[in-house]
Structure formats: structure tokens, C-alpha cells
Amino acid sequence: MFIVSLTYVCELTKVDQFVGEHRDYLDKQYASGVFLASGRKEPRNGGVILANAESRAKLDVLLEQDPFYQNGVAKYDVIEFIPSKTCPELDFLRQ
């Protein structure tokens, strides 16, 4: 399990140019079952993705496909963790 924290590295006007493509990218990752939740930070200086990738290496390959990454508008910090306790609805995440 991974928490991906995106931080914008440019003005929001440039970020906004790629929001549509970024959302399409997110939809593709949700459809594949890798992304479980995502949203923007408040204040709007980036976003967060909860990902259930097989490995950090595979997640890195997926993140490189993000238009935000490809166009250099965000940096990515990835935290790997092993869920040991969850609410009943998220029990499937425990290992």
C-alpha cells in the first residue's frame, strides 16, 4: 500500500492546463484497481493518491505516465506502509 503526495512545483495556471489529462490518467488507474482514493490538498498546492500497487517499482512506472509528471508540474513523495488495522469496509487492505 502506498500514499503518494503530489506537490505542485509551478503556478496553478500551468497545472490547470493538464488537469483534464490527469483526470483521464486517474480514471485509467482506478479501472485497473491500483488507485483506491485521490484528491487535492487544501490549500490547493498538490494532491494525494492512495495506491495498492504490487511493488514500489511498478508504482513508479505508473506515476511516470501521469501527465503532471510528464509535464513537470508536480513532484512526488511516496510512502509505503502495511495496513495492519482498518475499518470493516477497508478490511481487504490488511495483509
Side-chain angles (χ1 to χ4, degrees), residues 11-22:
E11 297 294 322
L12 285 177
T13 53
K14 184 168 183 184
V15 172
D16 287 341
Q17 294 175 18
F18 304 104
V19 167
E21 294 173 53
H22 174 71

Side-chain angles (χ1 to χ4, degrees), residues 45-57:
N45 59 8
V48 176
I49 300 169
L50 182 61
N52 195 16
E54 292 179 26
S55 68
R56 171 66 191 265

Side-chain angles (χ1 to χ4, degrees), residues 44-87:
R44 189 178 171 215
N45 59 8
V48 176
I49 300 169
L50 182 61
N52 195 16
E54 292 179 26
S55 68
R56 171 66 191 265
K58 289 185 179 185
L59 178 61
D60 287 342
V61 169
L62 292 178
L63 293 176
E64 290 172 1
Q65 298 171 21
D66 185 350
F68 282 178
Y69 177 88
Q70 293 175 341
N71 291 284
V73 300
K75 71 173 189 159
Y76 298 71
D77 295 308
V78 178
I79 300 169
E80 183 172 5
F81 77 104
I82 300 170
S84 58
K85 190 169 183 78
T86 65
C87 65

